[in-house]
Amino acid sequence: GYGMRVLELPETPELRQRYLGQAGQALYLIRPDQIVAARWAEADADTIQAQLAAITEGR
């Protein structure tokens, strides 16, 4: 494992404006240094795993 933590935030007008825009939902992958590494409207486990591998390999 990568020691990931999942947070589900309630939708507020501020969060919608900043992070969702016109999307109905979003999934963000945030690195430990708080850099957004990826954003998806939808993602499966394989997609997330591939992005995590790319981050750890420095791609």
Side-chain angles (χ1 to χ4, degrees), residues 2-40:
Y2 289 95
M4 289 186 1
R5 203 171 356 161
V6 175
L7 301 174
E8 188 172 336
L9 302 175
E11 186 180 316
T12 65
E14 297 81 13
L15 286 175
R16 169 157 285 294
Q17 180 180 1
R18 181 167 182 147
Y19 296 105
L20 293 178
Q22 299 301 313
Q25 64 183 16
L27 174 66
Y28 281 82
L29 178 60
I30 303 174
R31 299 182 341 191
D33 59 1
Q34 300 182 7
I35 300 293
V36 174
R39 178 189 184 273
W40 301 280

